[in-house]
Amino acid sequence: MVTFLPTRPGRLADVPSFDRAIGGAESNVACALAAAGHAVRWVSRAGTDGFGDHLVETVASYGVDVRHVERDPARPTGVYFRTAGDRATDAHEVAYYRAGSAASAMSARTVDLAAVRAGRVLHLSGITAALSGGCLDLLRELTAPAADRPVLSFDVNYRRGLWGSGEGPEVLLELARRADIVFVGEDEAEEAWGVTGGPGAVRALLPEPRVLVVKQGAAGAVAFVSGEGEGVGEGEGAGAVSWAPVAAGGAAADRHAPARVPTPVREIPAASASAAASASASASASAGTFEPAPVVDVVAPVGAGDAFAAGFLSGILRGLPLRRTLRLGHLFAAAALTASADLAPPPARDTADRLTVLDTGRWERLRLGPGWTEADPAEEEVRTP
């Protein structure tokens, strides 16, 4: 969608003007991954109106392949307005105008399924499933078991207001159980499914995904990794958890070859006892790997979940160890949290790499403020410029 961000705090009724930007769960992930140097394709639908032009051109400006975005002359591009406040407060307002939009008309008939399935990883969101019956049918088609299915990443993204019939929790659980990599907040798991008892209880409800990431807000995130199979990464990293690329038949995978799900490799560098402990824990479906988030001076929380997913997927694609992959998710989220728009460029790779290898003490002392992605951070602490 095209988003309109207020130029000052206050009720929507009182804000006189707005700045235009873009937003959307999957497009946010696509833009962040492309900005981080990955080959990314975004498949969606937009109107032939000016908002559609702006949306497609802006996504493309991040380096995303938009050649398979369908333009619909009969339906408009979705837009939304929001206030400047935190979504968690009663004062926050969001006004969506996407009923009957071009994106809501997505279905298995209006989307190029071959283009969707061409990558190593396919990322989907529960928000799309809620937009229409056609969108839900499309997600069921894409998540169905198939020999040539790419690794499937699914962000639950439960939004109660989108599910008028009340079937949302059941549908999202169905889709999550069919995915390979799942992202869900501990709070949304409780809201959607009534799960309490921490990340382990969420894992008990969702034992099927090879990788389950339970986000715990400002505290951090827990990753559960289990099962056997090959990975999807580019193999640039070495460490406790390897996500090396292997195509069917044992040949090296090209960037669009189908791949199976990342799993731990037990070849642990002798120099890292803590990394070995991490690999041992993550190899079990019942034991999760927790990584705390750095302290962040939050500007706006919108888009942080999408940014975290992009960072985590970037770590997988790069073959980074699991703890570094979690830290990369936190750093991408921090880039979004310290910007006012839904979408913010991630930190430069050399900056992120320097921070993800900090020792535990230095990592826990990080403080990230607005502008930190453009700053030259010290190892000990990244302060607001």
Side-chain angles (χ1 to χ4, degrees), residues 25-92:
E26 293 91 343
S27 58
N28 286 344
V29 173
C31 290
L33 278 169
H38 299 284
V40 185
R41 170 180 293 159
W42 180 53
V43 181
S44 187
R45 304 185 85 248
T48 56
D49 49 25
F51 288 147
D53 293 342
H54 172 67
L55 175 62
V56 175
E57 291 168 5
T58 303
V59 173
S61 72
Y62 281 84
V64 177
D65 177 0
V66 297
R67 290 174 296 172
H68 297 274
V69 176
E70 296 290 336
R71 304 299 298 272
D72 189 334
R75 297 177 177 85
T77 303
V79 301
Y80 85 92
F81 298 77
R82 67 172 171 86
T83 52
D86 190 323
R87 253 185 195 167
T89 68
D90 293 336
H92 185 77

Side-chain angles (χ1 to χ4, degrees), residues 4-18 80-85 91-97:
F4 288 92
L5 311 176
T7 55
R8 72 181 192 193
R11 302 184 309 153
L12 287 179
D14 300 328
V15 175
S17 60
F18 297 80
Y80 85 92
F81 298 77
R82 67 172 171 86
T83 52
H92 185 77
E93 299 173 75
V94 181
Y96 290 101
Y97 299 93

Side-chain angles (χ1 to χ4, degrees), residues 356-374:
T356 60
V357 297
L358 292 178
D359 62 42
T360 299
R362 288 176 174 176
W363 172 259
E364 292 179 351
R365 289 195 297 272
L366 281 179
R367 186 181 186 96
L368 307 174
W372 75 271
T373 56
E374 289 82 38

